[in-house]
């Protein structure tokens, strides 16, 4: 590979204009692609297949109106007094304007909704009073009916007695008629009596009919009363169930108790969890224009948070620091400007290329930012490595063309190897099985690959273009003609006790810094993680203060219902489920938010007592999921932004061990091949692991614990960005490999040329520390500049990388590694013979290339 890069360097130098034009054309093509196909990436992070994703998909199928994303607009009076009628009217007008924005499904007017809630409470109270009055009225009717029944019974009793008396009289009359010797006169008299008796019977029959009619009337009245009682019982049951649901939901409010703050919920159309930036801007404009006198308007993160700037003031500061460092090293404006120029070109191609694919591939907003981070850092460093080698060779008497080719074949080969390790580490992120993380790794890997290709093609072309102007005037005036640099053959090795002290102190410092990493908690940044003066932070604090911490992250619980559930049964089931949900520790309120049209699924908003990033809320989510199915056979699932963060963090935590194992194993194998040693890979990898946990400890201390929060813009401590450890491990591995390569390869070369093992450590350190220090400062400055980003996602990534690079370079590579190498002596380069025969010769520094292309004295070349 060194020979190939040597030839590429010669060709690029000889055809410099064509190479430069090719890269400019490539940038132009990418810019055109971005203009034609570019799309703003999503601000949402999701992982398919998580419990939250499954529940969300279920909800999207059963209740499409609830599956989209939503945001909250917070209205608050500046003086803390309740809203006036004029302010309420103005807010309602703003709600109406926002409702008309294309892409907005609904905006909930807080005052209308709160009035409806209060009206519902009054309706329940009035209903209860009406039911009591109706029951009292029916009780009076029942009392009157019972009296009528008693009176009817007495009448029937008297009528029955009269009937019995008439029956007795009839028997007596019949006996008299049949008595022996009855005379005609007697019979005539008895006939008269019979007529009177029949008249009495007819009168009793009439009276019986009247009593029967009265009994039928009373029975009908009793039936009516019974029916009314049944209706009232059903109404009372329904009313009490409604009262129960109202009571359970009473702490879910849209207007604060003091009347000074109100929340308007904005529901976006569709089922996507991401909202286009243009739609967010339109919604904010609808609420903010015109302004409402005496009212502040703030927006939750889902509305307020925009896509981070690819390049801002912080990145410019990093570039300025990098330029200063480069100027101190090469001491020419041209030499300092070339690495920055090539890095910016690579960043432009990589970032715009990634954004061109955002319309085809689901991409989170941080993905192109990561490409910018890496493109700037490694782009500057890789060009610096080649330029630094080229300048040294020019000072040693090499011609421009000869030096460019050799620098590209030697340092360019090291750059290719170093870049390959970073690319491999980033591509290995796809092994996690997490799509957005794998895409981030792929974009980052492509950005690094572009930086490598630019370093070994464009850098030689630009060096050829500037010629000897890469050197200072004094350097050109003192050029010497010699075969390569004068070798350093003597050096005083570090004494053993000092080496022990350096190693122990360095390791101890790293272990102390790493202590906070054992308290690591993962999550996604909420509004509270943004700067205190941002609208999303103000919205988060206002909601927590006025409505309770849980209102910043309510849970969505979805329950399955039996097939064939009727409307009446639906209410019964909703009450039963809501009561069981409310019984969980940490639940403040529960409110049903709807059911599917076929009544097979119902959903609830559950308000936790604590905030969305608290341990208590996470425990509540786990408890709810573990309790499924609830008593009664109701299977439930839990979703929402809070559970999404929990699920993503858990998925990433589960994937991290495999990724760590792959990367560490890869590190050992690569370094055994490169350094032909077992000790160096073990020490380098062990130091890298210490650097990783120390960097993580710094992140936890600042962003999770809040140490030096004011200095780093941490308004509210919160869990660490959930994918940061994985990204940090992969990137820090690749960058640590770079520094190990440039230091240990020099030690190896000195040892191979006969220097004692301890002396070779000093010689290798002398040869490589200047470029390693410069590269580390540049990377730290570039990564550190992202700490000034306006994005709560970008800031901790920038800090972690800057801090990790700094401690790895200055503690592990420049202190601990040389100290342990000194103590190991010859054992540092021991390798079993059988393994030595099996391993290929990597020749990363291109020593064999230098032997094939030795420097020729200028006296033998003639005029240049």
């Amino acid at each position: 590979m060194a020979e190939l890069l040597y030839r590429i360097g010669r060709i690029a130098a000889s055809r410099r204009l064509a190479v430069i034009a090719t890269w400019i054309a490539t940038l132009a093509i990418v810019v055109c692609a971005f203009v034609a196909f570019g799309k703003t990436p999503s601000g949402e992070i999701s992982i398919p297949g998580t419990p939250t994703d499954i529940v969300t998909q279920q909800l999207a199928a059963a209740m499409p109106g609830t599956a989209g994303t939503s945001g909250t607009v917070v209205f608050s009076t500046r003086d803390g007094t309740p809203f006036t009628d004029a302010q309420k009217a103005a807010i309602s007008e703003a709600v109406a304007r926002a409702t008309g924005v294309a892409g907005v499904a609904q905006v909930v007017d807080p005052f209308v909704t709160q009035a409806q809630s209060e009206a519902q409470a009054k309706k329940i109270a009035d209903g209860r009073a009406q039911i009591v009055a109706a029951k009292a009225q029916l009780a009076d009717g029942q009392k009157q009916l019972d009296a009528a029944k008693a009176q009817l019974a007495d009448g029937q009793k008297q009528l029955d007695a009269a009937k019995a008396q008439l029956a007795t009289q009839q028997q007596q009359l019949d006996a008299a008629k049949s008595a022996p010797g009855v005379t005609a006169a007697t019979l005539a008299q008895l006939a008269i009596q019979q007529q009177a008796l029949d008249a009495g019977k007819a009168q009793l029959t009439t009276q019986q009919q009247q009593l029967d009619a009265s009994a039928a009337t009373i029975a009908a009245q009793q039936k009516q009363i019974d029916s009314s009682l049944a209706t009232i019982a059903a109404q009372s049951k329904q009313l009490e169930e409604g009262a129960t649901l109202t009571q359970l939901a009473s702490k879910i409010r849209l207007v604060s108790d003091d009347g000074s703050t109100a929340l308007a919920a904005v529901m976006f159309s569709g089922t996507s969890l991401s909202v286009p930036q243009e739609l967010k801007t339109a919604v904010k404009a609808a609420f903010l224009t015109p302004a409402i006198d005496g009212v502040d308007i703030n927006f939750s993160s889902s509305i307020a948070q925009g896509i981070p700037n690819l390049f801002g003031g912080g990145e410019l500061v990093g570039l300025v620091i990098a330029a200063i460092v480069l100027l101190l090293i090469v001491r020419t404006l041209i030499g300092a400007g070339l690495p920055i120029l090539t890095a910016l070109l690579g960043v432009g191609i990589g970032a715009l290329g990634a954004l061109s694919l955002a319309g085809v591939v689901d991409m989170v907003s941080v993905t192109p930012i990561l490409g910018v981070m890496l493109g700037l850092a490694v782009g500057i460093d890789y060009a610096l490595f080649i330029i630094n080698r080229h300048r040294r060779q020019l000072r040693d008497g090499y011609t421009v063309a000869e030096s460019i080719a050799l620098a590209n074949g030697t340092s360019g080969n090291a750059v290719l190897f170093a870049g390959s390790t970073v690319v491999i580490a980033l591509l290995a992120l796809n092994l996690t099985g997490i799509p957005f993380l794998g895409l981030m790794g792929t974009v980052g890997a492509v950005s690094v690959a572009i930086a490598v290709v630019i370093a070994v093609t464009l850098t030689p072309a630009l060096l050829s273009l500037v010629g000897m102007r890469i050197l200072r005037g004094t350097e050109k005036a003192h050029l010497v003609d010699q075969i390569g640099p004068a070798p350093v053959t003597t050096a005083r090795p570090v004494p053993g006790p000092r080496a022990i002290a350096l190693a122990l102190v360095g390791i101890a410092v790293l272990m102390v810094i790493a202590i906070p990493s054992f308290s690591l908690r993962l999550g996604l940044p909420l509004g509270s993680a943004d700067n205190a003066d941002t609208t999303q932070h103000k919205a988060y604090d206002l909601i927590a203060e006025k409505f309770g911490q849980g209102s910043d992250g309510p849970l969505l619980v979805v329950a399955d219902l039996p097939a064939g559930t009727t409307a009446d049964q639906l209410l019964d089931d909703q009450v039963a489920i809501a009561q069981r949900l409310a019984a969980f520790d940490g639940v403040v309120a529960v409110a049903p938010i709807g059911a599917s049209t076929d009544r097979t699924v119902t959903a609830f908003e559950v308000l936790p007592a604590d905030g969305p990033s608290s341990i208590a809320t996470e425990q509540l989510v786990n408890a709810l999921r573990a309790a499924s199915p609830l008593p009664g056979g109701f299977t439930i699932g839990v979703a929402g932004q809070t559970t999404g963060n929990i699920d993503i963090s858990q998925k990433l935590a589960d994937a991290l061990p495999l990724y760590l194992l792959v990367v560490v194993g890869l590190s050992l194998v690569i370094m055994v091949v490169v350094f032909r040693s077992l000790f160096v890979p073990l020490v380098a990898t062990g130091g890298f692991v210490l650097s990783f946990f120390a960097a993580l400890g710094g992140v936890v201390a600042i962003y999770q614990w809040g140490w030096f929060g004011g200095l780093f813009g941490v308004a509210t401590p919160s869990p660490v960005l959930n994918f940061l450890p994985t990204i940090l491990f992969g990137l820090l591995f690749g960058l640590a490999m770079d520094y190990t390569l440039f230091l240990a390869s020099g030690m190896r070369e000195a040892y191979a040329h006969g220097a004692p093992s301890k002396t070779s450590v000093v010689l290798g350190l002398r040869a490589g520390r200047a470029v390693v220090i410069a590269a580390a400062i540049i990377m730290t400055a570039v990564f550190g500049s992202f700490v000034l980003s306006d994005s709560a996602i970008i800031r901790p990534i920038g800090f972690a990388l800057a801090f990790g690079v700094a401690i790895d370079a200055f503690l592990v590579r420049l202190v601990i590694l040389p100290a342990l190498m000194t103590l190991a002596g010859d054992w540092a380069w021991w390798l079993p013979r059988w393994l030595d025969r099996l391993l290929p010769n990597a020749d990363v520094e291109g020593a064999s290339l230098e032997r094939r292309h030795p420097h020729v004295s200028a006296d033998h070349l003639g005029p240049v």
Side-chain angles (χ1 to χ4, degrees):
M1 183 57 70
E3 183 68 34
L4 176 61
L5 290 172
Y6 177 88
R7 294 175 183 175
I8 291 174
R10 289 188 70 92
I11 294 172
S14 62
R15 301 179 181 177
R16 57 199 182 197
L17 296 180
V19 172
I20 294 171
T22 299
W23 280 110
I24 293 175
T26 302
L27 178 61
I29 292 172
V30 172
V31 170
C32 292
F34 170 71
V35 172
F37 308 108
K39 180 184 176 182
T40 303
S42 166
E44 300 294 331
I45 296 176
S46 61
I47 300 179
T50 60
T52 296
D53 180 68
I54 293 171
V55 173
T56 302
Q57 295 301 325
Q58 177 191 10
L59 201 59
M63 302 168 60
T66 62
T69 190
S70 63
T72 303
V73 184
V74 183
F75 302 92
S76 59
T77 58
R78 294 194 183 102
D79 56 6
T81 60
F83 292 102
T84 65
D85 291 340
Q87 289 171 336
K88 291 179 181 179
I91 291 172
S92 296
E93 291 175 2
V95 167
R97 287 195 304 270
T99 304
V101 174
V104 174
Q106 180 186 6
V107 182
V108 178
D109 189 316
F111 302 109
V112 172
T113 304
Q114 195 65 40
Q116 290 173 346
S117 298
E118 293 171 357
Q120 179 67 18
K122 185 177 185 304
K123 183 178 179 181
I124 290 173
D126 293 344
R128 282 173 169 167
Q130 291 172 1
I131 286 175
V132 170
K135 285 183 176 179
Q137 185 177 0
L138 287 176
D140 290 341
Q142 186 66 53
K143 185 177 180 181
Q144 295 174 3
L145 195 61
D146 290 341
K149 286 181 180 180
Q151 185 178 359
L152 185 64
D154 290 340
Q156 185 67 51
K157 184 177 181 181
Q158 293 174 4
L159 187 60
D160 291 342
K163 287 181 179 181
Q165 184 178 3
L166 287 177
T168 301
Q169 291 175 359
Q170 183 66 53
Q171 290 176 356
Q172 293 174 351
L173 188 60
D174 291 340
K177 286 180 182 181
S178 60
V182 64
T183 63
T186 300
L187 288 173
Q189 187 178 1
L190 289 175
I192 293 171
Q193 291 178 357
Q194 183 65 53
Q195 289 177 354
L197 192 61
D198 290 340
K201 287 181 179 180
Q203 184 178 2
L204 290 179
T205 300
T206 301
Q207 290 177 356
Q208 183 64 58
Q209 291 174 347
Q210 291 175 348
L211 286 177
D212 290 342
S214 297
T217 301
I218 290 174
Q221 291 175 346
Q222 184 64 60
K223 184 176 180 180
Q224 185 177 2
I225 288 177
D226 291 342
S227 175
S228 297
L229 286 173
T231 300
I232 288 175
Q235 292 175 343
S236 179
K237 178 176 178 292
Q238 187 175 10
L239 186 67
E240 291 307 317
E241 286 179 334
T244 299
L245 292 177
T246 301
Q247 178 61 33
L248 291 175
S250 61
K251 293 186 179 181
I252 300 177
R253 297 178 57 86
L254 294 181
V255 179
S256 61
D257 291 331
D258 62 4
S260 67
T261 308
L263 308 178
V266 181
M267 271 72 79
F268 295 98
S269 303
T271 59
S272 173
L273 292 178
S274 63
V275 181
Q277 190 61 38
E278 298 77 10
L279 179 53
K280 294 181 182 181
T281 302
V283 167
K284 287 188 286 188
F287 281 106
L288 294 174
T289 307
I292 302 175
D293 186 35
V295 175
D296 289 326
I297 303 176
N298 291 288
F299 302 91
S300 66
S301 295
S302 54
I303 298 176
Q305 208 162 45
I307 303 303
N309 294 323
L310 285 178
F311 199 86
E315 292 74 21
L316 185 59
V317 171
L319 279 183
V320 170
I321 296 175
I324 293 173
V325 173
L326 289 168
L327 195 58
L328 291 175
I329 294 174
V330 299
R331 299 189 182 182
T332 66
L333 290 175
I334 292 177
L338 288 184
I340 294 178
L341 177 63
T342 56
L344 289 175
L345 178 67
V347 165
I349 294 173
L352 294 179
L355 291 174
S356 299
L357 298 175
V360 180
V361 181
D362 289 333
M363 182 182 299
V364 297
S365 58
V366 72
T367 301
I369 304 294
L370 182 63
V372 172
M373 277 187 183
L374 291 173
L376 280 177
V378 302
I380 294 174
D381 277 2
Y382 291 167
L384 171 62
F385 294 150
I386 296 175
I387 292 172
N388 190 59
R389 177 67 177 252
H390 173 60
R391 293 183 71 256
R392 189 180 70 198
Q393 291 172 167
L394 289 180
R395 291 196 303 268
D396 291 334
Y398 287 71
T399 64
V400 172
E402 178 188 18
S403 177
I404 290 174
L406 191 59
N408 212 51
T410 53
S411 292
N413 195 39
V415 164
L416 180 62
F417 174 80
S420 298
T421 60
V422 180
V423 168
I424 292 171
L426 288 170
L427 289 177
L429 289 172
N430 289 279
L431 297 177
T432 61
I434 300 172
F436 84 87
L437 194 59
L439 183 60
M440 287 176 63
T442 301
V443 170
V446 171
S447 298
V448 173
I450 291 172
V452 171
V453 176
I454 287 178
V456 299
T457 58
L458 183 60
T459 302
L462 292 174
L463 289 175
S464 176
L465 184 66
V466 301
M468 296 299 292
R469 286 174 293 174
I470 197 71
L471 296 178
R472 289 175 292 138
T474 54
E475 290 175 325
K476 288 185 283 188
H478 294 85
L479 288 176
V480 296
D481 179 26
Q482 63 182 37
I483 303 175
V488 179
T489 57
T490 60
R492 180 179 297 178
V494 177
R498 185 182 176 190
I500 293 174
L502 288 172
L504 291 178
V505 170
I507 293 172
V509 169
L510 288 176
M511 293 180 70
V512 170
I513 297 175
I515 289 175
S517 66
F518 294 101
S519 301
L520 174 69
R521 290 187 62 234
L522 300 178
L524 281 173
L526 304 169
S528 59
D530 290 293
N531 294 331
D533 59 349
T534 60
T535 182
Q536 57 265 36
H537 187 101
K538 293 176 183 178
Y540 187 96
D541 284 351
L542 279 169
I543 292 173
E545 177 187 354
K546 297 294 185 178
F547 300 93
Q549 294 181 353
S551 298
D552 278 309
L555 306 177
L556 180 64
V557 175
V558 179
D560 293 331
L561 300 175
T565 300
T566 64
D568 292 337
Q569 290 171 337
L570 172 62
L571 183 60
D572 294 342
D573 290 343
Q574 285 179 326
V575 171
I577 296 170
Q579 288 177 324
R580 292 183 176 101
L581 293 176
F584 281 86
D585 292 336
V587 172
V588 172
V590 181
I593 59 175
S596 60
T597 54
D598 59 359
R599 291 187 290 275
T600 58
V601 173
T602 184
F604 300 83
E605 179 182 342
V606 175
L607 188 66
D610 294 282
S613 62
S614 69
I615 296 176
T617 301
E618 183 175 348
Q619 291 172 340
L620 172 60
V621 170
N622 294 333
L624 287 170
R625 287 172 169 170
S628 181
L630 297 176
F634 302 109
T635 301
I636 64 170
V638 190
Q641 182 184 24
T642 300
T643 64
N645 293 353
I646 292 172
D647 291 343
I648 293 172
S649 300
Q650 186 60 51
K651 182 80 171 179
L652 288 163
D654 293 342
L656 186 58
L658 174 62
Y659 181 67
L660 300 186
L661 183 63
V662 170
V663 173
V664 170
L666 180 66
S667 169
L668 289 171
V669 171
I670 291 176
M671 283 193 289
V672 168
V673 173
V674 172
F675 301 119
R676 311 191 79 77
S677 162
L678 294 180
F679 182 80
V680 175
L682 289 173
V683 171
T685 302
F688 154 64
V689 172
L690 280 176
S691 299
F692 168 72
F693 282 104
L696 211 55
V699 172
V700 171
I702 292 172
Y703 291 93
Q704 183 176 312
W705 292 358
W707 291 8
F708 311 108
L711 180 62
F712 290 93
V714 181
T716 304
S718 58
V720 173
L721 181 66
N722 49 28
F723 60 84
L724 188 147
T726 311
I727 289 288
L728 175 64
F729 197 89
L731 293 179
L732 199 56
F733 158 72
L735 301 176
M737 286 288 293
D738 291 356
Y739 300 144
T740 302
L741 170 68
F742 287 107
L743 289 173
S745 60
M747 300 175 188
R748 172 73 184 179
E749 183 178 0
Y751 181 74
H753 283 80
S757 58
K758 295 184 179 181
T759 302
S760 68
V761 173
V762 180
L763 296 176
L765 194 60
R766 286 181 183 176
R769 66 185 172 191
V771 70
V772 167
I773 290 173
I777 293 174
I778 291 171
M779 279 201 177
T780 301
V782 172
F783 288 141
S785 67
F786 285 88
V787 176
L788 304 176
S789 170
D790 57 354
S791 170
I793 293 179
I794 302 299
R795 288 199 299 269
I797 295 178
F799 171 81
L801 290 174
F803 188 55
V805 166
I807 60 178
D808 187 83
F810 294 106
L811 268 181
V812 176
R813 309 303 150 187
L814 294 174
V815 176
I816 297 175
L817 177 64
L820 294 177
M821 294 282 289
T822 299
L823 294 174
D826 290 338
W827 285 102
W829 306 109
W830 177 81
L831 186 69
R833 291 183 179 178
W834 63 268
L835 184 56
D836 185 58
R837 290 192 298 268
L838 291 176
L839 294 178
N841 184 12
D843 190 24
V844 174
E845 281 294 335
S848 60
L849 179 70
E850 290 184 282
R851 291 192 294 270
R852 290 194 300 271
H853 301 279
H855 169 57
V856 180
S857 172
D859 293 339
H860 300 89
L861 292 175
V864 178

